[in-house]
Amino acid sequence: MKKIIYIIITLIFLPLVYAECDCTCEDPKANLSLPEGHCNISLTLKTDKDRYKNEEKITIFNELTEKKQDFTIEYWIEDIKGEIIKEKTETKNTNKKQFTPKLTENTTLVIKNNLTYLDCKNIIVENYNKVEVFIEVQPKKEPELELINYSKKLNLSDELNISLMIYSGDNINYSIAFWIDNITKTEDYKIDQRYKNETVNLSIKIPNNCSIESKKYDLIIKSQEKEIKKKIDIENNCKEKEEELEENTEKCILSIHSEENNSENIINQSANPITGFTIYESTTIKSKEIAKYLLMIILASILVFIITINKGVGKAIKEYSQKWSSQLEH
């Protein structure tokens, strides 16, 4: 009988217990009644681990609380100093993303994302996240040498520019040699530090030697472990320079002749108005001088002859002749 009473009492109070526990643990904002065109969407960011080895894939998760609306997520990677490691990339899905770091030393990377577009008015304004991961780098012992870029076509006396990536590996003094076969002497470049990664720009001067043939030559870059050989085209432009020099010389000569002719024309033009008078005047003066000297010679001869006959008469004639000559000169 007592058991029946306990069962009845339990059945009476059981609905009251359930009624007191009738509650929800969901986010209150989720049950808000939003105006039309509004939404309540959050963006999160995760990685599969927080520590990685160098060249190990990092898996990135851009997650949204709701994916019914069209959206755009932007994500990128920086180092701890803010230098960009992976440029900003846009995605319109939440599929996992991957990135493989290739670093030369231990580094903390900062992965970031941002919800840049939603096809609704989101009541959550800030949707920006960042996650830090540590990359452990175990230095490679083997050195590396890579040709990034170089000049492919050159003339005599030009500079051949070379861009190289050099990794010294486990070497204190790591050196490379570079030259143009049968054209230039060997040049050297050294790295005096272990595990050093450098991108360097080097140059080689092409000799200004007209005996160099116009053809392809081998650019050689060599280390102890590796040799890189590339073809470059060298053009002998000596003939062009000679022709250009000859052409310039001819132009110069023609210019000088032209200037001389112009100068003569100017002189002739300036002299023409008085040329006839000047020539006439000069001829007349010369004729007078010749006649004067001839007359003086004749008179002197006569005078000598007369003097020999009669000194007195000769003296008179001499005085008369001198007076007459003086008048002629005037």
Side-chain angles (χ1 to χ4, degrees):
M1 185 65 182
K2 290 182 178 180
K3 290 181 180 181
I4 296 172
I5 294 171
Y6 286 139
I7 292 170
I8 294 170
I9 293 171
T10 302
L11 292 173
I12 293 170
F13 286 98
L14 187 59
L16 296 175
V17 173
Y18 275 107
E20 289 178 2
C21 293
D22 187 15
C23 61
T24 178
C25 296
E26 295 179 3
D27 185 355
K29 289 183 179 179
N31 294 326
L32 289 176
S33 179
L34 298 174
E36 186 178 352
H38 287 64
C39 54
N40 177 24
I41 299 174
S42 296
L43 173 68
T44 58
L45 175 64
K46 295 191 304 183
T47 56
D48 55 333
K49 296 193 298 185
D50 57 6
R51 292 181 69 90
Y52 298 86
K53 293 187 181 297
N54 195 34
E55 299 190 10
E56 180 183 359
K57 287 182 181 178
I58 302 171
T59 304
I60 303 168
F61 301 94
N62 298 297
E63 296 183 343
L64 289 172
T65 54
E66 183 184 320
K67 292 181 281 187
K68 294 179 181 179
Q69 307 290 337
D70 290 336
F71 61 87
T72 302
I73 298 171
E74 187 178 62
Y75 68 99
W76 68 100
I77 302 174
E78 302 174 358
D79 64 13
I80 200 69
K81 297 177 183 177
E83 296 291 330
I84 298 294
I85 303 298
K86 176 180 171 54
E87 297 290 338
K88 291 183 177 180
T89 304
E90 288 187 346
T91 179
K92 296 183 179 296
N93 60 64
T94 54
N95 300 338
K96 65 182 181 181
K97 313 299 178 186
Q98 290 184 328
F99 173 74
T100 303
K102 294 182 180 180
L103 307 172
T104 57
E105 57 185 4
N106 294 344
T107 307
T108 297
L109 296 182
V110 184
I111 305 169
K112 299 181 178 182
N113 74 356
N114 189 23
L115 184 59
T116 57
Y117 170 75
L118 265 177
D119 192 20
C120 61
K121 188 172 180 61
N122 197 7
I123 64 172
I124 300 176
V125 178
E126 293 294 334
N127 266 304
Y128 166 83
N129 304 279
K130 65 179 181 178
V131 173
E132 293 186 358
V133 295
F134 181 76
I135 311 299
E136 181 183 358
V137 177
Q138 296 178 344
K140 290 182 179 179
K141 293 184 178 181
E142 298 78 17
E144 294 181 3
L145 177 63
E146 181 184 349
L147 177 61
I148 300 172
N149 196 10
Y150 67 101
S151 306
K152 297 177 178 64
K153 190 170 183 179
L154 299 156
N155 292 317
L156 300 183
S157 75
D158 283 349
E159 293 276 349
L160 167 61
N161 297 311
I162 308 167
S163 181
L164 293 172
M165 189 285 291
I166 308 172
Y167 174 63
S168 61
D170 190 19
N171 296 286
I172 295 177
N173 288 311
Y174 183 69
S175 65
I176 65 161
F178 57 100
W179 70 95
I180 301 173
D181 203 24
N182 298 323
I183 296 292
T184 68
K185 64 180 183 178
T186 302
E187 303 284 348
D188 295 313
Y189 183 83
K190 292 184 179 181
I191 299 177
D192 57 0
Q193 187 178 343
R194 283 191 177 98
Y195 311 119
K196 182 93 177 275
N197 195 349
E198 287 188 2
T199 298
V200 297
N201 295 314
L202 306 174
S203 64
I204 308 174
K205 178 78 171 179
I206 308 297
N208 189 18
N209 185 350
C210 291
S211 64
I212 295 174
E213 295 182 23
S214 295
K215 65 177 186 178
K216 292 186 181 296
Y217 293 86
D218 288 326
L219 165 64
I220 300 173
I221 306 163
K222 190 173 183 179
S223 66
Q224 292 179 353
E225 302 79 14
K226 188 174 182 179
E227 179 177 298
I228 299 171
K229 188 180 288 187
K230 295 290 184 181
K231 292 289 185 183
I232 60 168
D233 196 357
I234 296 180
E235 184 73 23
N236 185 333
N237 55 353
C238 285
K239 187 175 180 181
E240 293 177 4
K241 287 184 177 180
E242 288 177 0
E243 291 175 353
E244 184 179 351
L245 180 61
E246 289 177 1
E247 185 179 349
N248 290 336
T249 304
E250 289 176 0
K251 286 181 180 179
C252 184
I253 292 170
L254 290 173
S255 176
I256 291 170
H257 285 174
S258 176
E259 289 178 2
E260 289 177 352
N261 292 335
N262 289 337
S263 300
E264 288 177 2
N265 289 336
I266 292 170
I267 292 169
N268 290 336
Q269 288 173 3
S270 300
N272 278 340
I274 60 171
T275 298
F277 175 75
T278 303
I279 292 172
Y280 174 78
E281 183 181 21
S282 176
T283 304
T284 304
I285 290 171
K286 287 181 180 179
S287 298
K288 285 183 179 179
E289 288 179 353
I290 291 169
K292 181 178 69 175
Y293 288 126
L294 287 173
L295 181 60
M296 288 177 67
I297 290 169
I298 293 169
L299 290 175
S301 299
I302 295 170
L303 183 61
V304 170
F305 176 75
I306 293 174
I307 288 173
T308 55
I309 298 174
N310 190 339
K311 291 183 177 180
V313 176
K315 183 177 180 181
I317 293 171
K318 181 180 179 181
E319 289 177 358
Y320 179 78
S321 298
Q322 290 176 348
K323 182 178 179 181
W324 188 65
S325 296
S326 176
Q327 287 178 354
L328 279 175
E329 287 177 357
H330 287 296

